[in-house]
Amino acid sequence: MLARIKFRIYHNVVIGIVVCIITAAGTGINYSTIPAEIPPSEPFPSYWYYVDKEKVYLPLATDALAVIFDDNITSFERETISKEINQLVPRAAWRGMAQPQHALVELKSDMSQTELHRLFIDINAMPGVRYVNPVFALPDARLTITDQFIARFKPNIPMQAIEDFNAANYVEIVKATRLPNTFILSAVAGSNTLDVTNHYHTSDITVYASPDFVRYLEKQFVPDDTFYSIQWGLENTGTNPPDGVG
């Protein structure tokens, strides 16, 4: 079984939940748990995000991809897409996530970055697929992104300017956070979320912007603690702690 984990960092506190957002930038402290890598030697494409003013390169996994389905997709439609993907390229496993719209597709063999990019295009064109994202290979887990990211705008930036900037970049506000001028945003389906996030991070009107990472982990075991099921930080299937941050 795979656990879906993100990290949200608010007020310099790391809170782990099933789905969390890394808000590492803008504090002057590098919270990243992803080691900086040498830029890929293959020229197309490369992936990175910013921590403060430094690029953190993400090592691409060439034997996996992440598929995010449209909302309210049926089991039959998922199975149809699975068969179509298998016709394009042999896959070793189709791993579901805590949320039914997400799946990790593990391939039977490595592909070049160019071949993988073509596969992204083909799968993105399938009805029922919202978008396809790359998977990044870390020493202890695999990582991907969603279509969301978090951005903090400078204190002097009015809401109208934020809305205009979002509209110009085909970005929508998902919700405001409890931090001032800080929003969870969503890029239009099919956009390169990392590029959009990096564009926001380097903008003159923001303090920082950081992607929404999803980390795939193999569950090792279930503790025998009788209170394990009510400890949201350990057994979390999408709920938030009482204060709403997590």
Side-chain angles (χ1 to χ4, degrees):
M1 181 180 292
L2 293 175
R4 184 166 184 259
I5 298 179
K6 304 178 189 172
F7 299 93
R8 286 182 184 168
I9 302 173
Y10 292 134
H11 301 296
N12 298 346
V13 177
V14 180
I15 306 174
I17 62 168
V18 177
V19 182
C20 51
I21 294 178
I22 302 176
T23 62
T27 61
I29 301 173
N30 187 347
Y31 288 106
S32 174
T33 58
I34 305 170
E37 299 286 340
I38 297 174
S41 57
E42 194 168 350
F44 173 82
S46 61
Y47 301 92
W48 72 84
Y49 70 104
Y50 284 98
V51 174
D52 295 328
K53 296 181 180 180
E54 295 184 5
K55 290 181 180 179
V56 177
Y57 283 89
L58 297 164
L60 180 69
T62 55
D63 62 348
L65 53 87
V67 177
I68 291 79
F69 302 101
D70 290 337
D71 294 337
N72 303 319
I73 190 171
T74 66
S75 299
F76 175 77
E77 290 170 332
R78 282 176 59 103
E79 184 61 30
T80 300
I81 293 171
S82 175
K83 291 178 180 178
E84 290 177 352
I85 292 176
N86 206 35
Q87 291 175 353
L88 290 175
V89 59
R91 58 178 177 81
W94 180 279
R95 300 184 182 274
M97 303 300 298
Q99 295 187 4
Q101 293 88 355
H102 297 254
L104 174 68
V105 180
E106 295 182 335
L107 309 176
K108 290 184 178 179
S109 59
D110 288 333
M111 305 179 73
S112 71
Q113 290 192 27
T114 302
E115 291 172 332
L116 200 60
H117 181 71
R118 290 180 186 144
L119 184 60
F120 289 169
I121 295 173
D122 291 338
I123 297 176
N124 260 322
M126 295 180 180
V129 174
R130 185 176 182 188
Y131 57 87
V132 181
N133 272 332
V135 174
F136 307 109
L138 303 182
D140 58 346
R142 293 184 178 227
L143 193 77
T144 189
I145 56 174
T146 73
D147 61 335
Q148 296 185 5
F149 62 100
I150 192 166
R152 184 170 190 175
F153 294 85
K154 293 179 179 178
N156 62 327
I157 304 300
M159 191 64 204
Q160 186 59 55
I162 293 174
E163 292 177 349
D164 291 345
F165 187 72
N166 289 339
N169 289 284
Y170 303 98
V171 167
E172 297 178 349
I173 294 177
V174 177
K175 65 178 181 179
T177 72
R178 295 182 301 171
L179 298 178
N181 261 17
T182 305
F183 303 89
I184 296 174
L185 305 174
S186 177
V188 66
S191 298
N192 185 323
T193 311
L194 277 178
D195 283 351
V196 175
T197 306
N198 292 337
H199 174 61
Y200 270 64
H201 184 83
T202 56
S203 169
D204 292 335
I205 69 171
T206 61
V207 179
Y208 62 79
S210 191
D212 179 11
F213 287 105
V214 181
R215 195 171 186 177
Y216 301 89
L217 299 174
E218 295 284 355
K219 181 180 285 187
Q220 301 298 318
F221 65 93
V222 176
D224 58 4
D225 184 348
T226 55
F227 295 101
Y228 169 69
S229 62
I230 63 174
Q231 298 181 56
W232 70 266
L234 299 177
E235 176 70 358
N236 192 311
T237 56
T239 57
N240 285 329
D243 66 357
V245 178

